[in-house]
Amino acid sequence: MPVKRDAASNRSVEAQVDVPGAPEGVWNAIATGPGISQWFVPSELEGRIGGTAVSHFAADGSMDAVATITAWEPPRRFVAEAPGEPGTVATEWIVEAKSGGLCSVRVVHRWFATSDDWDDQFEAHSYGWISFFRLLRLYLTHFPGQHGSAFQLLVPSFEPLADAWRKLVEPLGLANATEQQRVVTPPHMQAFDGVVERTGPQDHPELVVRLDQPAPGFAHLFALPMGGMTYLSARFFLFGDDAASIAKREEPKWRTWLEKHFPTPAE
């Protein structure tokens, strides 16, 4: 979304989505650690002013995002502030009830800057939220209130974006996947079948698959160029009585496969 600027050099970007559910249920999905972890990344959140919110973007803790809650008004609004570049960034979450059993969820990032050096990065950040909001809507549509098991894997590649993405999806039989298509991985691959909910454009390659196997849930595959490299992510959100044991079984299989296809270059 475009960056908004005011006369005092304050800037903001925002993203919004309509999701099914009452405000209380939607609030639990966006403002509690267990709820956020069902569609975003593993997270903890202390629901009070002065509380800490932590999002774990990498399993080893190397990409943790830490913020402090500065406003807390359940089930309608909260604000978390995080230090960084270009300065403190305030992230505001707003839930508003709508007709037809829906709620709107809006996230707004605000920061102060005297130049536009960071505008492109924050604009890209808002498009990232649009992608994650699709997962939030999928979760609240098909698995509302459920706490399942998730795992996320991230591997780097020195290949260009298009080449790295092709290398990820072709062996899975997903290179030409289209939305609402049922997909099944080849027999020699890990069990992976379901219905494609989302395919991204060439400059933002992405696949969201609502899963039947290895368990009910959804998978999110995407490629992200950053720092002269391409990062490939595979994230699985699984639900049901056996979700924990299935996630424990599947995570090392996917890790081994990804590391084989995208080996870490020698120093």
Side-chain angles (χ1 to χ4, degrees), residues 89-153:
V89 177
T91 301
E92 181 181 24
W93 291 79
I94 301 166
V95 177
E96 295 181 347
K98 300 182 67 174
S99 61
L102 299 175
C103 282
S104 71
V105 176
R106 182 159 55 101
V107 62
V108 183
H109 297 287
R110 293 186 175 90
W111 72 100
F112 171 83
T114 56
S115 73
D116 59 5
D117 292 348
W118 292 89
D119 287 9
D120 288 347
Q121 181 171 325
F122 277 95
E123 186 172 343
H125 199 50
S126 69
Y127 282 102
W129 275 117
I130 293 172
S131 176
F132 288 125
F133 276 171
R134 294 189 187 99
L135 303 187
L136 172 62
R137 184 167 54 203
L138 193 59
Y139 168 64
L140 289 171
T141 299
H142 297 282
F143 309 100
Q146 295 188 42
H147 289 172
S149 291
F151 61 91
Q152 58 178 6
L153 301 167

Side-chain angles (χ1 to χ4, degrees), residues 32-77:
T32 69
I36 298 167
S37 301
Q38 307 311 308
W39 59 273
F40 186 43
V41 298
S43 301
E44 297 92 39
L45 187 148
E46 296 176 272
R48 59 179 178 83
I49 293 178
T52 299
V54 184
S55 299
H56 305 284
F57 288 91
D60 62 3
S62 62
M63 297 176 65
D64 285 0
V66 182
T68 301
I69 305 297
T70 57
W72 185 254
E73 305 168 18
R76 191 182 70 85
R77 172 181 176 269

Side-chain angles (χ1 to χ4, degrees), residues 4 28 59 65 91 96 136 155 159 161 163 167 184 194 239 254:
K4 298 178 182 179
N28 285 334
T91 301
E96 295 181 347
L136 172 62
V155 293
E159 296 173 275
L161 179 68
D163 294 339
K167 190 174 179 179
V184 180
F239 300 92
W254 280 95

Side-chain angles (χ1 to χ4, degrees), residues 168-184:
L168 174 66
V169 296
E170 278 188 347
L172 300 173
L174 301 174
N176 299 309
T178 58
E179 293 180 8
Q180 300 308 309
Q181 174 188 355
R182 173 162 290 279
V183 292
V184 180

Side-chain angles (χ1 to χ4, degrees), residues 153-172 189-190 221-224 229-234 254-266:
L153 301 167
L154 185 70
V155 293
S157 170
F158 283 105
E159 296 173 275
L161 179 68
D163 294 339
W165 177 248
R166 188 181 308 110
K167 190 174 179 179
L168 174 66
V169 296
E170 278 188 347
L172 300 173
M189 295 296 301
Q190 301 83 272
L221 309 179
F222 65 91
L224 177 68
M229 300 180 67
T230 301
Y231 287 85
L232 289 306
S233 176
W254 280 95
R255 183 178 300 279
T256 298
W257 185 82
L258 285 169
E259 290 176 350
K260 178 182 177 181
H261 280 70
F262 300 94
T264 302

